[in-house]
Amino acid sequence: MRILDLMLRRFIDVGSLEVTYPDGLRKTYGSIGSGPHAAMTIHTSDAERRLVLNPGLAFGEAYMDGAISPDGCDIYALLHVLMENAMAPSSGGSLVGERVASSVRYLRRSWIQFNPEKRSRSNVAHHYDLDGRLYQLFLDKDRQYSCAYFQTGHETLDEAQEAKKRHIAAKLKLDRPGLTVLDIGCGWGGMALTLARDYGAHVVGITLSTEQLQTARARAAEAGLSDRVRFELLDYRLLRTCYDRIVSVGMFEHVGVGHYRTFFEKVRDSLKDDGVAVIHSIGRNDSPGTTNPWIDKYIFPGGYSPALSETLAAIETTGLWVTDCEILRLHYAKTLEIWRERFNARRADAAALYDERFCRMFEFYLAGAELSFRVQGHMNFQLQLTRAIDATPLTRDYMFEAEKRSS
């Protein structure tokens, strides 16, 4: 008797999944026509066995290795069925093997997300020091590798990423030229360059990625902004200067739960008395959890999407004011959908840079990430923080007015 067969009978309750086993046996689980449908072939007995023991890791690895393949559909459709069912109450949250593995991961999450300076740099290099030409295949022209902002839902990727920067700039209250701004986790420099060029700010961007640092410095020189923008290879814990404004987009996910208090204390200590900070991060709409083991191993080692409860608990210990909080629900799903489509259109170019296994890994990552926002409760949050109770106006009207002026 097949253990995986028994597990899938109980697991698939939403839609249907057709599975062809290594010996040719074909089984259908769920109810065809009642929801999303997908089919797959498991090519090896080893892949079948590993799916029973640790499906959260094994499924992605088997897809990368070609030991599992979608039948008559793509990996997005296959993941859609599986991730929908993982959230269904009748499934108990996941397959039995995954429940056990998830419980163990939660007990170990402080170690998994232990990110001292040396380990943080290694984690960043794993993903962000890939060949820069890879990211040019699917990102916008400014290389914004974070959630875009869709005001209508019909914007192009470039339009939505420009809108994201305007949205954040409005929250930073850049009400006069010459303000000093710290960009923690500056990526390829797009946010820093925008704040200097369009808002007259003097910006210091810090990163742990040597690839991003080189690109950001080259872009500043090319734009004639080297006198107003400086990029440094620096861990946030080593900051010693105070700034009028602090912005951090898509970096907090890499801090690690054991370092949240340290991070927000450093934000507080790096902010002038009347300063304003904006932190933009992926989050989760449920209680604290863990990172999928495949994502942790292959995409973002040491990364984690935090719940607001654990984020705000860390902020409360620092004396900072949370002066604004906004939840962006489906903006990243839309962003990832566009990235996925663009990557698929340039897949041959990605394979030329790396190989077929890498392409399957990246496909799996983009599809799974998009679905985590569509069906599994992931979202983005933007927090505005100040040291002083009166550092921002009484109402949020100034944000809307600033954003309108800059659009």
Side-chain angles (χ1 to χ4, degrees):
M1 183 176 293
R2 277 195 158 90
I3 298 176
L4 184 59
D5 174 55
L6 294 174
M7 292 169 62
L8 289 174
R9 288 184 198 178
R10 299 185 62 183
F11 180 66
I12 302 298
D13 187 59
V14 178
S16 58
L17 176 67
E18 189 175 338
V19 178
T20 301
Y21 288 92
D23 60 3
L25 176 66
R26 201 171 185 86
K27 297 289 291 287
T28 299
Y29 304 93
S31 177
I32 294 177
S34 64
H37 171 76
M40 69 176 183
T41 295
I42 304 172
H43 296 283
T44 68
S45 298
D46 180 64
E48 180 182 349
R49 178 184 59 82
R50 294 183 65 232
L51 284 174
V52 171
L53 298 175
N54 188 0
L57 177 62
F59 187 81
E61 289 186 330
Y63 178 72
M64 289 168 59
D65 295 336
I68 286 177
S69 60
D71 285 346
C73 62
D74 59 14
I75 190 60
Y76 181 89
L78 183 52
L79 283 172
H80 188 188
V81 172
L82 295 172
M83 293 173 72
E84 281 270 19
N85 280 278
M87 298 300 289
S90 58
S91 74
S94 59
L95 295 168
V96 174
E98 177 56 18
R99 286 206 301 273
V100 174
S102 180
S103 297
V104 173
R105 287 198 303 273
Y106 192 84
L107 292 173
R108 297 181 59 244
R109 75 177 194 146
S110 293
W111 167 247
I112 294 171
Q113 296 174 45
F114 177 57
N115 293 323
E117 293 171 30
K118 185 176 181 180
R119 193 173 183 183
S120 291
R121 185 165 295 191
S122 174
N123 288 343
V124 166
H126 179 90
H127 190 77
Y128 296 98
D129 281 349
L130 296 173
D131 192 316
R133 291 173 294 177
L134 170 71
Y135 296 102
Q136 289 178 331
L137 299 180
F138 64 94
L139 296 182
D140 64 299
K141 64 183 179 183
D142 196 41
R143 290 203 222 179
Q144 291 291 303
Y145 196 25
S146 58
C147 175
Y149 184 65
F150 294 87
Q151 293 172 295
T152 69
H154 302 293
E155 292 86 354
T156 66
L157 180 61
D158 286 296
E159 290 169 342
Q161 291 292 14
E162 289 297 321
K164 184 266 296 293
K165 290 183 288 182
R166 288 196 300 269
H167 196 60
I168 291 174
K171 295 183 179 186
L172 284 169
K173 194 174 177 287
L174 299 168
D175 51 3
R176 59 191 184 277
L179 289 170
T180 57
V181 180
L182 170 67
D183 184 356
I184 304 177
C186 62
W188 291 279
M191 176 65 77
L193 295 171
T194 296
L195 297 182
R197 182 187 64 242
D198 298 344
Y199 299 88
H202 292 269
V203 188
V204 174
I206 63 171
T207 179
L208 293 180
S209 166
T210 55
E211 175 79 21
Q212 290 183 333
L213 177 70
Q214 294 170 2
T215 300
R217 285 177 170 174
R219 292 182 67 191
E222 183 180 357
L225 292 171
S226 296
D227 59 331
R228 279 188 281 163
V229 183
R230 188 174 83 252
F231 295 105
E232 301 292 343
L233 193 71
L234 185 69
D235 190 286
Y236 71 91
R237 286 163 284 211
L238 302 180
L239 290 164
R240 298 291 183 267
T241 305
C242 287
Y243 298 85
D244 295 304
R245 305 289 186 264
I246 296 176
V247 63
S248 182
V249 180
M251 180 273 182
F252 185 63
E253 302 94 313
H254 303 285
V255 168
V257 290
H259 306 276
Y260 286 176
R261 180 170 180 172
T262 298
F263 177 82
F264 287 114
E265 285 177 343
K266 183 56 68 173
V267 169
R268 178 198 63 200
D269 295 343
S270 302
L271 202 59
K272 292 183 180 179
D273 289 341
D274 61 348
V276 177
V278 175
I279 311 298
H280 170 115
S281 174
I282 298 172
R284 61 183 64 230
N285 194 44
D286 53 8
S287 57
T290 62
T291 300
N292 172 274
W294 185 88
I295 289 289
D296 181 70
K297 182 176 181 179
Y298 290 98
I299 306 298
F300 297 121
Y304 170 64
S305 301
L308 269 177
S309 57
E310 53 195 339
T311 304
L312 294 175
I315 295 171
E316 289 168 358
T317 67
T318 67
L320 287 167
W321 278 91
V322 180
T323 46
D324 192 74
C325 174
E326 181 178 9
I327 305 301
L328 304 177
R329 290 160 291 121
L330 289 169
H331 293 261
Y332 216 161
K334 180 65 175 174
T335 306
L336 284 155
E337 178 184 11
I338 297 174
W339 287 351
R340 182 169 57 86
E341 291 171 349
R342 289 162 68 111
F343 179 83
N344 289 341
R346 304 285 302 277
R347 194 180 190 283
D349 295 324
L353 290 174
Y354 290 97
D355 56 25
E356 180 61 26
R357 187 173 187 269
F358 180 92
C359 287
R360 286 197 293 267
M361 179 191 77
F362 226 79
E363 288 172 334
F364 193 88
Y365 151 55
L366 292 174
E370 179 186 338
L371 285 162
S372 72
F373 287 90
R374 294 200 184 278
V375 303
Q376 291 198 323
H378 274 53
M379 48 76 168
N380 284 80
F381 60 78
Q382 292 182 348
L383 300 177
Q384 186 193 62
L385 308 173
T386 67
R387 290 175 62 107
I389 192 172
D390 58 354
T392 58
L394 291 176
T395 71
R396 305 174 78 244
D397 293 352
Y398 71 96
M399 296 184 192
F400 305 129
E401 293 166 358
E403 193 167 0
K404 187 175 181 179
R405 285 195 303 270
S406 62
S407 62

